[in-house]
Each structure stands twice: as C-alpha cells, then as structure tokens.
Amino acid sequence: MKISNPLLSNFNTPFEVPPFAEIKAEDYNQAFGEGIRQQIIEIEKITNNPENPDFQNTIETLEYSGKLLKQTELIFENILSSETNDILQQIAKEQAPVLSGHWDNILMNSGLFERINHVYQQNKEIRLNGEQKILLERTYQKFVRGGAKLSASDKLKLKEINAKLSVLSLQFGDNVLADNN
C-alpha cells in the first residue's frame, strides 16, 4: 500500500523532474484539493494584509501563490494529453469545474482586485523595472478580463459560463481524441 502522494512532496529527482513512475491517477484529486486549499490561504493573506498595497506584498506575492496547484495542473495536463486513459479523463471532468471556480474566485475577489488596482494606479509613481511593469500590467489585465470589475450578478453569470466552458472544452478534446483514434 502506498503511504504518500509524490505530488505532495519535493521531487528528489535530477532537475526536480516529477517522478512520473510513482504518480498514480488517484494522487491527482488529493493534490488538486491540497493545492487549492493552500492557495486560498495565500490569497486571504494578501487580501487581508494590513499594509498598504505595493508591488512586493500584492503583485509579487500573488505571482508566487499556488505553487502546488500550478505544478499539479501542469503535470496532470501533460499526462492527460500524452498518456490519457478513462480514469484520467474522468478526473479531468470532475476537476474542471472545481478548478474553474477556484480561478474565478481569485479573479473576481474584490478585496484582492482593490489591492491590485491600487498598485496599478500608482504605476507612474513607483519605481519598477521592465519585468515588474509587464507583470503588473498583465496581472491587472487578467483580473479585468476575468471579471473583477463586473457587478455581483454578472460575476455569477460569468462563473456559470466558465464552469460550463471548462467541461465543454474537455468534451471537445475527448471527441477529437476519439475521432483521431
């Protein structure tokens, strides 16, 4: 019986490559759940930070949030597209609306967007290097395009649409795969 989930540990492999041979399909749901849980805590810390919003405590901290979740998504998506099977496809169908909802909750988080907008509005007064300016611009645009400025009712509609699209996108991919096979 397997005791630990390799997705929840440091990869003690050359170049920290995921230990693909040790990862089982059932490991993904646990890693997705833990990754979401960790990122929610990280986002709450940013949103509830009593300090004035600045690049480091808002934009940079947000950029580094969700490491486990992002890593799990990358590994899963690569395996799903290269060595898919019925179990992985079922996990993808279950996780798609969950992940869509998680990302929507971040992008539509009013408190978080207020902090991002504050830093964005200060862009001319603060000293940022080129990379930081690009990250700030892209972060701001991602939140605006993700629905941060919508009314509460429009945010709910967008969340419903995104959840449906996440599942429909997977179904389309499955149809293409079945057709190719």
Side-chain angles (χ1 to χ4, degrees):
M1 182 174 156
K2 192 167 117 174
I3 297 173
S4 65
N5 183 335
L7 292 168
L8 300 177
S9 323
N10 291 329
F11 302 152
N12 295 320
T13 57
F15 307 106
E16 297 181 7
V17 173
F20 292 105
E22 296 175 21
I23 300 170
K24 306 295 181 236
E26 57 270 14
D27 294 332
Y28 289 107
N29 283 331
Q30 181 185 16
F32 280 129
E34 179 60 20
I36 288 170
R37 187 191 71 75
Q38 287 179 13
Q39 191 171 31
I40 288 170
I41 291 168
E42 293 166 343
I43 296 300
E44 287 175 356
K45 285 181 182 176
I46 297 167
T47 304
N48 297 326
N49 187 339
E51 298 174 10
N52 274 338
D54 62 28
F55 185 85
Q56 284 73 30
N57 71 21
T58 302
I59 306 302
E60 189 174 300
T61 306
L62 175 63
E63 181 67 13
Y64 286 112
S65 74
K67 181 182 179 209
L68 174 62
L69 181 58
K70 292 172 189 173
Q71 177 178 281
T72 302
E73 282 185 296
L74 285 171
I75 294 168
F76 182 74
E77 289 169 6
N78 280 296
I79 293 297
L80 184 65
S81 66
S82 62
E83 293 185 28
T84 195
N85 59 47
D86 292 342
I87 295 169
L88 292 176
Q89 289 175 329
Q90 183 60 38
I91 292 169
K93 287 176 186 168
E94 292 168 5
Q95 290 296 330
V98 173
L99 292 168
S100 175
H102 172 69
W103 293 116
D104 281 345
N105 287 338
I106 291 172
L107 293 172
M108 296 181 203
N109 181 319
S110 299
L112 181 58
F113 182 67
E114 280 180 31
R115 291 184 67 86
I116 293 166
N117 188 43
H118 178 83
V119 177
Y120 184 76
Q121 297 304 322
Q122 303 300 317
N123 188 19
K124 303 283 188 236
E125 291 90 39
I126 56 178
R127 289 183 174 236
L128 299 176
N129 65 35
E131 290 172 344
Q132 291 170 325
K133 287 179 183 180
I134 291 170
L135 179 59
L136 175 58
E137 178 70 30
R138 288 184 180 170
T139 301
Y140 177 82
Q141 289 300 326
K142 180 171 62 173
F143 273 73
V144 170
R145 292 175 183 152
K149 288 185 166 186
L150 294 175
S151 68
S153 63
D154 286 342
K155 285 180 181 180
L156 282 175
K157 289 178 193 173
L158 182 58
K159 285 180 182 184
E160 290 173 13
I161 291 168
N162 287 341
K164 287 178 187 174
L165 279 176
S166 70
V167 174
L168 290 173
S169 295
L170 281 173
Q171 287 174 345
F172 177 77
D174 290 348
N175 292 343
V176 170
L177 177 66
D179 190 44
N180 287 335
N181 288 339

